[in-house]
Amino acid sequence: MTNPDEHMIIALDGPAASGKGTLAKNLAMALNFRHMDTGALYRASAYEVLQNQGDPSREDDALAGCNTLKSKILGAENLNDVLGNPDLRKDETGTAASKLAAIPAAREALKSIQIDFAHEQKQGYGGVILDGRDIGTVICPNAHLKLYIEADTEVRAKRRLKELQSKGLDVTYSAVFAEMRERDARDTQRDTAPLHAASDAIMINTSHLSEEEVLSKALSCVREIRHS
Ligand code: DC
């Protein structure tokens, strides 16, 4: 394992709308670390499948989507050029991503991008943060810090509803809640790399915490590692 003072790897896992994405961005800013939203890789692969009228639950369609994404990433100046498409944030893309993510060959196809990102030390940055579902368990089992971010399902559904409504989408709480339960079930019950906390992860429940409070908890975990 690398020296955390030279290159610290932070793994953030948790279910949809738990607050891990917001925490990842805030932590990256506060620490000057690079950040990879690994869910965006699954979303972008699934988006390619949908664009080609494919089925993200079929292995051949899913793999074709992952391979198209990988070649786009290789040809891009930076990751954001490929992963910044706002259509990736749509709920239908999230659902398709969750279906694609249950296919072992698709997970394997996206693995090296994440592992390479985690271990590449770039000048000017103190480390990396990856957020997703299997970062602490599969992608970076040796991460210096593993945080498992959770929140009650009702709270997560309300957050997602607010996000979708702010984009002008006509959605109901009950539809968002049902979709979230379905996605949680798929992400936690799949055979390969299901969502669960690593045994050495620190749990943070964000249900009743502000963005700043969550960041402050995470930063104190980072300080402990630096001083240990
Ligand atoms: O975090 P998100 O909602 O953007 O992720 C979309 C889907 O991608 C999610 O339902 C499950 C899958 N995913 C995964 O299986 N493993 C990851 N490391 C990240 C996301």
Side-chain angles (χ1 to χ4, degrees), residues 20 38-39 42-43 97-98 101 107 132-134 183 187 190:
K20 64 185 187 313
T38 65
Y42 289 91
R43 284 173 182 263
S98 160
R107 302 198 70 80
R133 302 290 191 288
D134 62 341
R183 188 130 79 92
D187 292 348
R190 65 183 179 221

Side-chain angles (χ1 to χ4, degrees), residues 5-91:
D5 290 330
E6 285 167 13
H7 181 70
M8 187 186 290
I9 301 178
I10 301 180
L12 297 187
D13 288 303
S18 57
K20 64 185 187 313
T22 303
L23 173 62
K25 286 192 192 102
N26 289 339
L27 259 184
M29 185 95 84
L31 296 168
N32 193 31
F33 279 22
R34 292 186 304 129
H35 166 222
M36 177 180 266
D37 164 8
T38 65
L41 298 175
Y42 289 91
R43 284 173 182 263
S45 302
Y47 181 75
E48 296 294 341
V49 177
L50 298 178
Q51 289 292 95
N52 288 318
Q53 272 76 48
D55 175 354
S57 314
R58 280 180 51 121
E59 183 175 302
D60 49 355
D61 287 354
L63 262 182
C66 295
N67 288 330
T68 306
L69 173 72
K70 281 169 78 171
S71 50
K72 284 190 176 173
I73 288 178
L74 275 178
E77 284 278 304
N78 75 52
L79 266 180
N80 240 350
D81 296 344
V82 186
L83 304 180
N85 175 358
D87 282 348
L88 301 189
R89 305 321 311 168
K90 287 186 177 164
D91 250 18

Side-chain angles (χ1 to χ4, degrees), residues 41-214:
L41 298 175
Y42 289 91
R43 284 173 182 263
S45 302
Y47 181 75
E48 296 294 341
V49 177
L50 298 178
Q51 289 292 95
N52 288 318
Q53 272 76 48
D55 175 354
S57 314
R58 280 180 51 121
E59 183 175 302
D60 49 355
D61 287 354
L63 262 182
C66 295
N67 288 330
T68 306
L69 173 72
K70 281 169 78 171
S71 50
K72 284 190 176 173
I73 288 178
L74 275 178
E77 284 278 304
N78 75 52
L79 266 180
N80 240 350
D81 296 344
V82 186
L83 304 180
N85 175 358
D87 282 348
L88 301 189
R89 305 321 311 168
K90 287 186 177 164
D91 250 18
E92 67 192 62
T93 318
T95 301
S98 160
K99 290 179 182 168
L100 176 142
I103 298 172
R107 302 198 70 80
E108 203 51 45
L110 297 178
K111 214 169 176 176
S112 62
I113 304 176
Q114 301 170 71
I115 294 177
D116 291 349
F117 179 89
H119 296 281
E120 189 186 351
Q121 300 193 25
K122 278 214 169 166
Q123 218 174 0
Y125 295 94
V128 290
I129 299 166
L130 289 90
D131 75 276
R133 302 290 191 288
D134 62 341
I135 308 302
T137 50
V138 176
I139 302 296
C140 301
N142 292 327
H144 300 99
L145 174 63
K146 298 180 188 177
L147 298 176
Y148 189 85
I149 313 301
E150 56 187 356
D152 305 341
T153 315
E154 290 76 10
V155 173
R156 294 191 289 117
K158 279 185 196 150
R159 285 179 187 161
R160 184 48 56 84
L161 179 71
K162 216 168 138 190
E163 183 192 330
L164 295 173
Q165 286 176 335
S166 73
K167 291 180 187 155
L169 295 170
D170 184 20
V171 279
T172 61
Y173 173 77
S174 55
V176 172
F177 184 81
E179 197 275 333
M180 188 150 280
R181 290 286 291 264
E182 205 182 296
R183 188 130 79 92
D184 284 351
R186 209 170 19 237
D187 292 348
T188 53
Q189 288 164 23
R190 65 183 179 221
D191 292 335
T192 309
L195 167 67
H196 69 90
S199 57
D200 50 351
I202 297 168
M203 316 287 274
I204 300 181
N205 188 314
T206 69
S207 301
H208 307 292
L209 298 178
S210 69
E211 209 175 298
E212 293 73 25
E213 286 168 327
V214 178

